[in-house]
Amino acid sequence: MRTQRYAVQSSVSGSQAPRAAVVGIAVSDSFEIVFDTLGSSRKADNLRSNSRIAFVLGGLVGGDERTVQYEGIADEPSSDEGDRIREVYFNAFPEGRDRLSRPGVTHFRTRPQWLRYSDYNHNPPIIVEFTF
């Protein structure tokens, strides 16, 4: 997962409309996914009203057919926990520190509930599911 800098993130609006965006991600040792966004963004509004989130990582580079499907619960930690997840993000995106000076930047942390790793580089493919 840490080889991927970007993922497609999905959430659900208050009117139950699906929403997706590409986000820069960092992954913690416990498989948390951290990303930053503007607090006024549609994804932030969606996640504040419905914390369920999904990601797809990988599968975009020709010749590398590995993906991770990820479902979890998102939050916006504050205090010490917020500092910890921001450091996870800054380790992957050092320039993220500069974005903190922009008004309204926030960080979301996602805790996994279910993952599926698929590697179609092998025959037969390797497919492994994890439940947390």
PDB file of all heavy atoms in Angstrom, residues 3 5 10-11 21-22 29 45 48 51 59 63-64 73 77 86 92 96-97 102 110-112 114 116-117 132:
ATOM      1  N   THR A   3       3.498   1.840  -1.523  1.00  0.00           N
ATOM      2  CA  THR A   3       4.087   2.178  -2.825  1.00  0.00           C
ATOM      3  C   THR A   3       3.174   3.096  -3.620  1.00  0.00           C
ATOM      4  O   THR A   3       3.593   3.649  -4.631  1.00  0.00           O
ATOM      5  CB  THR A   3       4.374   0.912  -3.661  1.00  0.00           C
ATOM      6  OG1 THR A   3       3.135   0.279  -3.983  1.00  0.00           O
ATOM      7  CG2 THR A   3       5.293  -0.051  -2.918  1.00  0.00           C
ATOM      8  N   ARG A   5       1.076   6.519  -3.961  1.00  0.00           N
ATOM      9  CA  ARG A   5       0.966   7.875  -3.414  1.00  0.00           C
ATOM     10  C   ARG A   5      -0.439   8.440  -3.569  1.00  0.00           C
ATOM     11  O   ARG A   5      -0.813   9.384  -2.876  1.00  0.00           O
ATOM     12  CB  ARG A   5       1.974   8.804  -4.077  1.00  0.00           C
ATOM     13  CG  ARG A   5       3.396   8.506  -3.662  1.00  0.00           C
ATOM     14  CD  ARG A   5       4.412   9.440  -4.295  1.00  0.00           C
ATOM     15  NE  ARG A   5       4.119  10.857  -4.241  1.00  0.00           N
ATOM     16  CZ  ARG A   5       4.487  11.692  -3.259  1.00  0.00           C
ATOM     17  NH1 ARG A   5       5.152  11.227  -2.231  1.00  0.00           N
ATOM     18  NH2 ARG A   5       4.197  12.981  -3.323  1.00  0.00           N
ATOM     19  N   SER A  10     -13.793   7.268  -2.181  1.00  0.00           N
ATOM     20  CA  SER A  10     -15.237   7.354  -2.415  1.00  0.00           C
ATOM     21  C   SER A  10     -15.975   7.600  -1.108  1.00  0.00           C
ATOM     22  O   SER A  10     -15.612   7.038  -0.076  1.00  0.00           O
ATOM     23  CB  SER A  10     -15.762   6.052  -3.026  1.00  0.00           C
ATOM     24  OG  SER A  10     -15.143   5.812  -4.259  1.00  0.00           O
ATOM     25  N   SER A  11     -16.997   8.420  -1.200  1.00  0.00           N
ATOM     26  CA  SER A  11     -17.872   8.686  -0.058  1.00  0.00           C
ATOM     27  C   SER A  11     -19.291   8.829  -0.593  1.00  0.00           C
ATOM     28  O   SER A  11     -19.525   8.745  -1.800  1.00  0.00           O
ATOM     29  CB  SER A  11     -17.418   9.951   0.685  1.00  0.00           C
ATOM     30  OG  SER A  11     -17.458  11.079  -0.183  1.00  0.00           O
ATOM     31  N   ALA A  21     -13.010  10.958  -5.634  1.00  0.00           N
ATOM     32  CA  ALA A  21     -11.945  11.919  -5.897  1.00  0.00           C
ATOM     33  C   ALA A  21     -10.607  11.205  -5.776  1.00  0.00           C
ATOM     34  O   ALA A  21     -10.488  10.218  -5.049  1.00  0.00           O
ATOM     35  CB  ALA A  21     -12.006  13.070  -4.896  1.00  0.00           C
ATOM     36  N   VAL A  22      -9.624  11.726  -6.466  1.00  0.00           N
ATOM     37  CA  VAL A  22      -8.258  11.241  -6.296  1.00  0.00           C
ATOM     38  C   VAL A  22      -7.628  12.060  -5.171  1.00  0.00           C
ATOM     39  O   VAL A  22      -7.719  13.291  -5.174  1.00  0.00           O
ATOM     40  CB  VAL A  22      -7.444  11.384  -7.597  1.00  0.00           C
ATOM     41  CG1 VAL A  22      -5.986  11.016  -7.375  1.00  0.00           C
ATOM     42  CG2 VAL A  22      -8.049  10.518  -8.698  1.00  0.00           C
ATOM     43  N   ASP A  29       1.432   2.204  10.047  1.00  0.00           N
ATOM     44  CA  ASP A  29       1.769   0.802  10.326  1.00  0.00           C
ATOM     45  C   ASP A  29       0.540  -0.053  10.608  1.00  0.00           C
ATOM     46  O   ASP A  29       0.574  -1.264  10.439  1.00  0.00           O
ATOM     47  CB  ASP A  29       2.727   0.707  11.522  1.00  0.00           C
ATOM     48  CG  ASP A  29       4.106   1.246  11.209  1.00  0.00           C
ATOM     49  OD1 ASP A  29       4.457   1.369  10.012  1.00  0.00           O
ATOM     50  OD2 ASP A  29       4.841   1.550  12.167  1.00  0.00           O
ATOM     51  N   ASP A  45     -17.508  17.275   3.769  1.00  0.00           N
ATOM     52  CA  ASP A  45     -18.915  17.331   4.173  1.00  0.00           C
ATOM     53  C   ASP A  45     -19.519  15.935   4.229  1.00  0.00           C
ATOM     54  O   ASP A  45     -20.219  15.584   5.182  1.00  0.00           O
ATOM     55  CB  ASP A  45     -19.728  18.186   3.195  1.00  0.00           C
ATOM     56  CG  ASP A  45     -19.451  19.671   3.344  1.00  0.00           C
ATOM     57  OD1 ASP A  45     -18.904  20.092   4.396  1.00  0.00           O
ATOM     58  OD2 ASP A  45     -19.781  20.413   2.408  1.00  0.00           O
ATOM     59  N   ARG A  48     -18.165  13.893   7.239  1.00  0.00           N
ATOM     60  CA  ARG A  48     -18.653  14.378   8.538  1.00  0.00           C
ATOM     61  C   ARG A  48     -20.074  13.903   8.818  1.00  0.00           C
ATOM     62  O   ARG A  48     -20.454  13.731   9.975  1.00  0.00           O
ATOM     63  CB  ARG A  48     -18.577  15.897   8.587  1.00  0.00           C
ATOM     64  CG  ARG A  48     -17.152  16.402   8.696  1.00  0.00           C
ATOM     65  CD  ARG A  48     -17.087  17.904   8.631  1.00  0.00           C
ATOM     66  NE  ARG A  48     -15.704  18.361   8.653  1.00  0.00           N
ATOM     67  CZ  ARG A  48     -15.244  19.353   7.906  1.00  0.00           C
ATOM     68  NH1 ARG A  48     -16.068  20.012   7.087  1.00  0.00           N
ATOM     69  NH2 ARG A  48     -13.981  19.693   7.976  1.00  0.00           N
ATOM     70  N   SER A  51     -19.447   8.615   7.962  1.00  0.00           N
ATOM     71  CA  SER A  51     -18.007   8.358   8.065  1.00  0.00           C
ATOM     72  C   SER A  51     -17.522   7.162   7.252  1.00  0.00           C
ATOM     73  O   SER A  51     -16.325   6.899   7.196  1.00  0.00           O
ATOM     74  CB  SER A  51     -17.613   8.171   9.533  1.00  0.00           C
ATOM     75  OG  SER A  51     -18.301   7.067  10.079  1.00  0.00           O
ATOM     76  N   GLY A  59      -3.251  -0.386  -9.709  1.00  0.00           N
ATOM     77  CA  GLY A  59      -3.919  -0.769 -10.931  1.00  0.00           C
ATOM     78  C   GLY A  59      -3.813   0.226 -12.068  1.00  0.00           C
ATOM     79  O   GLY A  59      -4.444   0.054 -13.099  1.00  0.00           O
ATOM     80  N   GLY A  63       1.389  -3.080 -16.805  1.00  0.00           N
ATOM     81  CA  GLY A  63       2.286  -4.164 -16.425  1.00  0.00           C
ATOM     82  C   GLY A  63       2.298  -4.492 -14.946  1.00  0.00           C
ATOM     83  O   GLY A  63       2.924  -5.460 -14.535  1.00  0.00           O
ATOM     84  N   ASP A  64       1.631  -3.689 -14.133  1.00  0.00           N
ATOM     85  CA  ASP A  64       1.544  -3.965 -12.699  1.00  0.00           C
ATOM     86  C   ASP A  64       0.071  -4.057 -12.337  1.00  0.00           C
ATOM     87  O   ASP A  64      -0.602  -3.045 -12.174  1.00  0.00           O
ATOM     88  CB  ASP A  64       2.231  -2.882 -11.872  1.00  0.00           C
ATOM     89  CG  ASP A  64       2.276  -3.223 -10.395  1.00  0.00           C
ATOM     90  OD1 ASP A  64       1.822  -4.321  -9.999  1.00  0.00           O
ATOM     91  OD2 ASP A  64       2.759  -2.380  -9.616  1.00  0.00           O
ATOM     92  N   ILE A  73     -13.692   3.466   8.143  1.00  0.00           N
ATOM     93  CA  ILE A  73     -14.399   4.544   8.827  1.00  0.00           C
ATOM     94  C   ILE A  73     -13.425   5.716   8.976  1.00  0.00           C
ATOM     95  O   ILE A  73     -12.308   5.545   9.470  1.00  0.00           O
ATOM     96  CB  ILE A  73     -14.883   4.092  10.223  1.00  0.00           C
ATOM     97  CG1 ILE A  73     -15.821   2.880  10.114  1.00  0.00           C
ATOM     98  CG2 ILE A  73     -15.551   5.244  10.965  1.00  0.00           C
ATOM     99  CD1 ILE A  73     -17.117   3.152   9.391  1.00  0.00           C
ATOM    100  N   PRO A  77      -9.134  13.409  13.563  1.00  0.00           N
ATOM    101  CA  PRO A  77      -8.602  13.473  14.923  1.00  0.00           C
ATOM    102  C   PRO A  77      -8.015  14.850  15.253  1.00  0.00           C
ATOM    103  O   PRO A  77      -7.499  15.541  14.379  1.00  0.00           O
ATOM    104  CB  PRO A  77      -7.500  12.419  14.943  1.00  0.00           C
ATOM    105  CG  PRO A  77      -7.754  11.559  13.771  1.00  0.00           C
ATOM    106  CD  PRO A  77      -8.446  12.410  12.767  1.00  0.00           C
ATOM    107  N   ARG A  86      -0.992  13.490  11.251  1.00  0.00           N
ATOM    108  CA  ARG A  86      -0.361  14.471  10.348  1.00  0.00           C
ATOM    109  C   ARG A  86       1.093  14.094  10.092  1.00  0.00           C
ATOM    110  O   ARG A  86       1.582  14.216   8.973  1.00  0.00           O
ATOM    111  CB  ARG A  86      -0.489  15.888  10.916  1.00  0.00           C
ATOM    112  CG  ARG A  86      -1.852  16.497  10.627  1.00  0.00           C
ATOM    113  CD  ARG A  86      -1.917  17.968  11.006  1.00  0.00           C
ATOM    114  NE  ARG A  86      -1.870  18.170  12.449  1.00  0.00           N
ATOM    115  CZ  ARG A  86      -2.912  18.047  13.259  1.00  0.00           C
ATOM    116  NH1 ARG A  86      -4.094  17.727  12.779  1.00  0.00           N
ATOM    117  NH2 ARG A  86      -2.784  18.244  14.554  1.00  0.00           N
ATOM    118  N   ALA A  92       5.074  11.029   4.071  1.00  0.00           N
ATOM    119  CA  ALA A  92       4.856  10.716   2.659  1.00  0.00           C
ATOM    120  C   ALA A  92       4.848  11.975   1.797  1.00  0.00           C
ATOM    121  O   ALA A  92       5.295  11.950   0.647  1.00  0.00           O
ATOM    122  CB  ALA A  92       3.540   9.960   2.482  1.00  0.00           C
ATOM    123  N   GLY A  96       3.247  18.828   2.496  1.00  0.00           N
ATOM    124  CA  GLY A  96       1.967  18.995   3.172  1.00  0.00           C
ATOM    125  C   GLY A  96       2.042  19.971   4.332  1.00  0.00           C
ATOM    126  O   GLY A  96       1.042  20.599   4.678  1.00  0.00           O
ATOM    127  N   ARG A  97       3.216  20.099   4.924  1.00  0.00           N
ATOM    128  CA  ARG A  97       3.388  21.081   6.013  1.00  0.00           C
ATOM    129  C   ARG A  97       3.101  22.494   5.515  1.00  0.00           C
ATOM    130  O   ARG A  97       2.506  23.299   6.229  1.00  0.00           O
ATOM    131  CB  ARG A  97       4.801  21.014   6.578  1.00  0.00           C
ATOM    132  CG  ARG A  97       5.092  19.766   7.361  1.00  0.00           C
ATOM    133  CD  ARG A  97       6.525  19.818   7.942  1.00  0.00           C
ATOM    134  NE  ARG A  97       6.946  18.525   8.388  1.00  0.00           N
ATOM    135  CZ  ARG A  97       6.590  17.964   9.539  1.00  0.00           C
ATOM    136  NH1 ARG A  97       5.790  18.607  10.362  1.00  0.00           N
ATOM    137  NH2 ARG A  97       7.028  16.765   9.868  1.00  0.00           N
ATOM    138  N   ARG A 102      -2.564  27.300   4.584  1.00  0.00           N
ATOM    139  CA  ARG A 102      -3.757  27.651   3.818  1.00  0.00           C
ATOM    140  C   ARG A 102      -4.982  27.521   4.712  1.00  0.00           C
ATOM    141  O   ARG A 102      -5.116  26.565   5.471  1.00  0.00           O
ATOM    142  CB  ARG A 102      -3.916  26.731   2.606  1.00  0.00           C
ATOM    143  CG  ARG A 102      -2.791  26.848   1.616  1.00  0.00           C
ATOM    144  CD  ARG A 102      -3.005  25.893   0.460  1.00  0.00           C
ATOM    145  NE  ARG A 102      -1.835  25.869  -0.398  1.00  0.00           N
ATOM    146  CZ  ARG A 102      -1.635  24.960  -1.332  1.00  0.00           C
ATOM    147  NH1 ARG A 102      -2.524  23.998  -1.537  1.00  0.00           N
ATOM    148  NH2 ARG A 102      -0.553  25.003  -2.070  1.00  0.00           N
ATOM    149  N   THR A 110      -8.454   7.257   8.140  1.00  0.00           N
ATOM    150  CA  THR A 110      -9.382   6.153   7.924  1.00  0.00           C
ATOM    151  C   THR A 110      -8.851   4.903   8.589  1.00  0.00           C
ATOM    152  O   THR A 110      -7.693   4.532   8.379  1.00  0.00           O
ATOM    153  CB  THR A 110      -9.577   5.886   6.417  1.00  0.00           C
ATOM    154  OG1 THR A 110     -10.015   7.085   5.791  1.00  0.00           O
ATOM    155  CG2 THR A 110     -10.595   4.798   6.196  1.00  0.00           C
ATOM    156  N   ARG A 111      -9.681   4.268   9.373  1.00  0.00           N
ATOM    157  CA  ARG A 111      -9.340   2.981   9.994  1.00  0.00           C
ATOM    158  C   ARG A 111      -9.986   1.879   9.163  1.00  0.00           C
ATOM    159  O   ARG A 111     -11.180   1.950   8.856  1.00  0.00           O
ATOM    160  CB  ARG A 111      -9.830   2.933  11.428  1.00  0.00           C
ATOM    161  CG  ARG A 111      -9.091   3.923  12.301  1.00  0.00           C
ATOM    162  CD  ARG A 111      -9.623   3.869  13.710  1.00  0.00           C
ATOM    163  NE  ARG A 111      -8.848   4.725  14.560  1.00  0.00           N
ATOM    164  CZ  ARG A 111      -9.321   5.278  15.667  1.00  0.00           C
ATOM    165  NH1 ARG A 111     -10.562   5.048  16.035  1.00  0.00           N
ATOM    166  NH2 ARG A 111      -8.555   6.045  16.398  1.00  0.00           N
ATOM    167  N   PRO A 112      -9.216   0.859   8.810  1.00  0.00           N
ATOM    168  CA  PRO A 112      -9.755  -0.169   7.918  1.00  0.00           C
ATOM    169  C   PRO A 112     -10.784  -1.058   8.604  1.00  0.00           C
ATOM    170  O   PRO A 112     -10.696  -1.328   9.793  1.00  0.00           O
ATOM    171  CB  PRO A 112      -8.513  -0.983   7.530  1.00  0.00           C
ATOM    172  CG  PRO A 112      -7.592  -0.818   8.694  1.00  0.00           C
ATOM    173  CD  PRO A 112      -7.826   0.578   9.203  1.00  0.00           C
ATOM    174  N   TRP A 114     -12.198  -3.541   6.100  1.00  0.00           N
ATOM    175  CA  TRP A 114     -12.078  -4.650   5.155  1.00  0.00           C
ATOM    176  C   TRP A 114     -11.103  -4.242   4.048  1.00  0.00           C
ATOM    177  O   TRP A 114     -11.119  -3.087   3.594  1.00  0.00           O
ATOM    178  CB  TRP A 114     -13.449  -4.951   4.553  1.00  0.00           C
ATOM    179  CG  TRP A 114     -13.465  -5.990   3.490  1.00  0.00           C
ATOM    180  CD1 TRP A 114     -13.536  -7.343   3.657  1.00  0.00           C
ATOM    181  CD2 TRP A 114     -13.408  -5.772   2.069  1.00  0.00           C
ATOM    182  NE1 TRP A 114     -13.528  -7.978   2.430  1.00  0.00           N
ATOM    183  CE2 TRP A 114     -13.456  -7.018   1.439  1.00  0.00           C
ATOM    184  CE3 TRP A 114     -13.322  -4.622   1.279  1.00  0.00           C
ATOM    185  CZ2 TRP A 114     -13.421  -7.172   0.060  1.00  0.00           C
ATOM    186  CZ3 TRP A 114     -13.285  -4.769  -0.096  1.00  0.00           C
ATOM    187  CH2 TRP A 114     -13.334  -6.033  -0.691  1.00  0.00           C
ATOM    188  N   ARG A 116      -9.137  -5.954   0.383  1.00  0.00           N
ATOM    189  CA  ARG A 116      -8.886  -7.051  -0.554  1.00  0.00           C
ATOM    190  C   ARG A 116      -7.673  -6.667  -1.391  1.00  0.00           C
ATOM    191  O   ARG A 116      -7.673  -5.658  -2.079  1.00  0.00           O
ATOM    192  CB  ARG A 116     -10.058  -7.300  -1.482  1.00  0.00           C
ATOM    193  CG  ARG A 116      -9.698  -8.395  -2.544  1.00  0.00           C
ATOM    194  CD  ARG A 116     -10.793  -8.640  -3.534  1.00  0.00           C
ATOM    195  NE  ARG A 116     -11.855  -9.361  -2.863  1.00  0.00           N
ATOM    196  CZ  ARG A 116     -13.155  -9.220  -3.161  1.00  0.00           C
ATOM    197  NH1 ARG A 116     -13.532  -8.386  -4.105  1.00  0.00           N
ATOM    198  NH2 ARG A 116     -14.048  -9.919  -2.517  1.00  0.00           N
ATOM    199  N   TYR A 117      -6.631  -7.500  -1.287  1.00  0.00           N
ATOM    200  CA  TYR A 117      -5.426  -7.347  -2.098  1.00  0.00           C
ATOM    201  C   TYR A 117      -5.536  -8.322  -3.260  1.00  0.00           C
ATOM    202  O   TYR A 117      -5.769  -9.517  -3.059  1.00  0.00           O
ATOM    203  CB  TYR A 117      -4.179  -7.649  -1.268  1.00  0.00           C
ATOM    204  CG  TYR A 117      -2.916  -7.732  -2.080  1.00  0.00           C
ATOM    205  CD1 TYR A 117      -2.334  -6.594  -2.597  1.00  0.00           C
ATOM    206  CD2 TYR A 117      -2.321  -8.960  -2.332  1.00  0.00           C
ATOM    207  CE1 TYR A 117      -1.175  -6.665  -3.354  1.00  0.00           C
ATOM    208  CE2 TYR A 117      -1.154  -9.043  -3.080  1.00  0.00           C
ATOM    209  CZ  TYR A 117      -0.594  -7.885  -3.589  1.00  0.00           C
ATOM    210  OH  TYR A 117       0.547  -7.969  -4.338  1.00  0.00           O
ATOM    211  N   PHE A 132     -11.017  -6.377   9.709  1.00  0.00           N
ATOM    212  CA  PHE A 132     -10.458  -5.800  10.923  1.00  0.00           C
ATOM    213  C   PHE A 132     -11.542  -5.646  11.962  1.00  0.00           C
ATOM    214  O   PHE A 132     -12.690  -5.471  11.676  1.00  0.00           O
ATOM    215  CB  PHE A 132      -9.848  -4.427  10.615  1.00  0.00           C
ATOM    216  CG  PHE A 132      -8.672  -4.497   9.696  1.00  0.00           C
ATOM    217  CD1 PHE A 132      -8.847  -4.623   8.324  1.00  0.00           C
ATOM    218  CD2 PHE A 132      -7.375  -4.475  10.183  1.00  0.00           C
ATOM    219  CE1 PHE A 132      -7.769  -4.686   7.465  1.00  0.00           C
ATOM    220  CE2 PHE A 132      -6.292  -4.540   9.332  1.00  0.00           C
ATOM    221  CZ  PHE A 132      -6.488  -4.657   7.965  1.00  0.00           C
TER     222      PHE A 132
END
